[in-house]
Amino acid sequence: MTTTPQFKGTHLFDRLCWAKENLDGVQSDYRVVYEDNIDECSKILVPDPNWMACALQGGILPPVWVYWELKKDEAQPDFKKHTRGYLLHNTEPMEAMTEEQAIEYLIQKDVPEHVWMNWDEGNRPKMVICRKNQLPATREWRNSWRISEDVTVIEEAA
Amino acid sequence: MAGTIIADTLTHSTAGSVTTDYVVNGSAKAWSRYDGTSLTSDADLVGVGDSFNYTSIVDGGTGTYTFTFINSMSSVNWSGSALGKHDDNSTNDADNRQSILMYAITASSFITLASETSAATLNDSALGHNQVFGDLA
């Protein structure tokens, strides 16, 4: 197995360049289906294969809280430019994750917080993790797709 | 450091010189080649053919995709381009050519809307591309 260099303090973009050259992309079977607006259809998050390779390899990606900090900065009304980009580069990178841990990280990074914080509140789940083959086989009526009210949610500890 | 060349200028024997700023600032910071019709379909496991510097693509409905960066851009003032085909096997028909709008641009993500050039109707990209240039956070 390829060994990740010691990357703490290395610019994140340089780490991604290393990963692109040394790691094969990993196509995940997992999909995250979520609804962040009652007037819109379900959205489906697809993990990027090169990102997934980095997550499984370890030593490349910053912890997810770094992104939360940058999001806070971007949410400021007077935001012009990131001044804390160093958090991406200087924070100790995450160790290797399992695919399930990587999906959990991805949800906390790319799914709106109001969805994943309260995914099971209300009459039906606002978010489910599923396998790709559990989605409709064709994209017919794609803009009408919703999470089924009859969906059976199985909770498993990570 | 092993494997590192530090240089401010690259000089060709006859064609002149270019500063390495041009290389650093002029390189794409993110790119993707994807099949928007198979991001969700079980028929083809390759929704994202290849890419760089994205964590995920969100299929937001017909012709609508959200791309999120791993290494965020420094601000919203970056430049990007995107194009696509509705049917990867089709010829150069008007209903196959797509114009793709990049909007909801932030330092950490953007959304693309793909539609036929012959109509304003959104439709899926069987082959979509995008590239992003600018300064990184």
Side-chain angles (χ1 to χ4, degrees):
Chain A
M1 181 174 170
T2 306
T3 303
T4 312
Q6 290 298 318
F7 272 147
K8 188 183 176 188
T10 302
H11 198 290
L12 177 55
F13 193 80
D14 292 335
R15 294 183 227 166
L16 299 179
C17 290
W18 176 87
K20 185 71 180 164
E21 193 170 316
N22 290 281
L23 306 177
D24 292 330
V26 176
Q27 296 283 357
S28 176
D29 254 0
Y30 287 114
R31 296 290 182 266
V32 180
V33 184
Y34 67 91
E35 293 172 4
D36 59 350
N37 185 326
I38 58 170
D39 295 324
E40 297 177 2
C41 64
S42 297
K43 296 180 170 67
I44 298 162
L45 181 146
V46 182
D48 182 277
N50 293 302
W51 177 85
M52 182 58 81
C54 292
L56 301 181
Q57 174 71 18
I60 300 169
L61 300 172
V64 72
W65 65 260
V66 166
Y67 292 104
W68 297 345
E69 291 301 308
L70 298 184
K71 264 185 195 166
K72 281 185 209 166
D73 293 347
E74 285 187 44
Q76 297 300 317
D78 58 348
F79 173 77
K80 293 275 191 304
K81 191 172 182 176
H82 276 301
T83 56
R84 297 199 293 162
Y86 60 84
L87 290 173
L88 291 168
H89 318 305
N90 294 346
T91 307
E92 185 78 45
M94 293 286 290
E95 292 182 4
M97 293 179 247
T98 64
E99 195 170 348
E100 289 73 22
Q101 289 169 330
I103 294 295
E104 193 171 340
Y105 175 114
L106 200 53
I107 288 170
Q108 294 179 356
K109 180 183 177 299
D110 289 354
V111 173
E113 186 178 334
H114 70 89
V115 173
W116 61 262
M117 286 285 281
N118 308 297
W119 68 272
D120 61 345
E121 291 180 6
N123 295 331
R124 59 194 174 92
K126 287 191 283 287
M127 182 183 78
V128 291
I129 303 168
C130 66
R131 297 276 182 181
K132 192 172 177 175
N133 62 10
Q134 293 177 291
L135 295 167
T138 74
R139 290 176 64 79
E140 193 174 14
W141 308 113
R142 172 64 186 89
N143 287 341
S144 300
W145 290 9
R146 304 299 299 242
I147 297 173
S148 169
E149 293 187 17
D150 302 325
V151 69
T152 303
V153 178
I154 303 166
E155 292 187 56
E156 292 183 10
Chain B
M1 181 192 293
T4 301
I5 298 172
I6 299 173
D8 292 336
T9 307
L10 299 173
T11 303
H12 186 266
S13 58
T14 57
S17 299
V18 64
T19 68
T20 48
D21 283 356
Y22 281 72
V23 179
V24 174
N25 294 326
S27 300
K29 302 306 189 300
W31 58 266
S32 176
R33 175 193 169 100
Y34 60 97
D35 179 349
T37 66
S38 68
L39 290 173
T40 52
S41 167
D42 189 45
D44 183 352
L45 287 175
V46 185
V48 183
D50 206 355
S51 64
F52 187 70
N53 194 19
Y54 292 120
T55 49
S56 68
I57 297 180
V58 172
D59 168 4
T62 302
T64 308
Y65 314 101
T66 302
F67 295 81
T68 306
F69 299 122
I70 303 174
N71 193 146
S72 306
M73 303 303 284
S74 68
S75 72
V76 299
N77 293 317
W78 50 265
S79 174
S81 59
L83 53 89
K85 292 200 292 184
H86 175 54
D87 178 356
D88 196 20
N89 298 313
S90 181
T91 55
N92 185 25
D93 298 331
D95 61 356
N96 189 34
R97 294 192 293 266
Q98 288 187 314
S99 60
I100 298 184
L101 170 70
M102 298 172 99
Y103 89 113
I105 290 172
T106 72
S108 53
S109 67
F110 63 94
I111 297 175
T112 61
L113 296 177
S115 60
E116 297 174 15
T117 52
S118 57
T121 312
L122 293 177
N123 58 10
D124 291 323
S125 303
L127 179 60
H129 307 268
N130 58 55
Q131 309 83 33
V132 169
F133 295 84
D135 297 332
L136 293 163

